[in-house]
Amino acid sequence: MDKKLIRKMVQKCLIQYRHDGSLPFGEAEFEEIYIKIVKQKNEEPEADLHDIINDAVYEFLAT
């Protein structure tokens, strides 16, 4: 999966949670979220990528 696309989608998702669109975490945390997104998409190819990203971002912010 295109990492730049995932990064932009994560940034857009963060705006929903009242962040300014910048990543409120470092590169290591983004990499962790990215790996989780790719793994889940590979396990569930029919799942909507937006839903997977929303879940991953929410889980990250909630913990």
Side-chain angles (χ1 to χ4, degrees):
M1 268 188 212
D2 184 17
K3 195 177 241 183
K4 288 181 183 180
L5 173 65
I6 299 295
R7 183 180 301 273
K8 285 184 179 189
M9 292 175 78
V10 167
Q11 288 172 331
K12 285 186 178 192
C13 184
L14 287 168
I15 292 171
Q16 296 177 41
Y17 296 108
R18 305 287 189 245
H19 289 276
D20 62 3
S22 61
L23 296 178
F25 43 79
E27 191 61 34
E29 289 87 358
F30 172 73
E31 188 67 27
E32 184 179 317
I33 291 172
Y34 174 76
I35 289 169
K36 182 176 185 165
I37 291 167
V38 170
K39 180 180 176 187
Q40 187 169 351
K41 185 63 177 171
N42 288 336
E43 290 173 357
E44 302 175 40
E46 72 285 345
D48 184 53
L49 184 58
H50 288 107
D51 292 339
I52 293 171
I53 290 173
N54 279 328
D55 292 346
V57 169
Y58 177 80
E59 184 179 317
F60 176 80
L61 293 175
T63 56

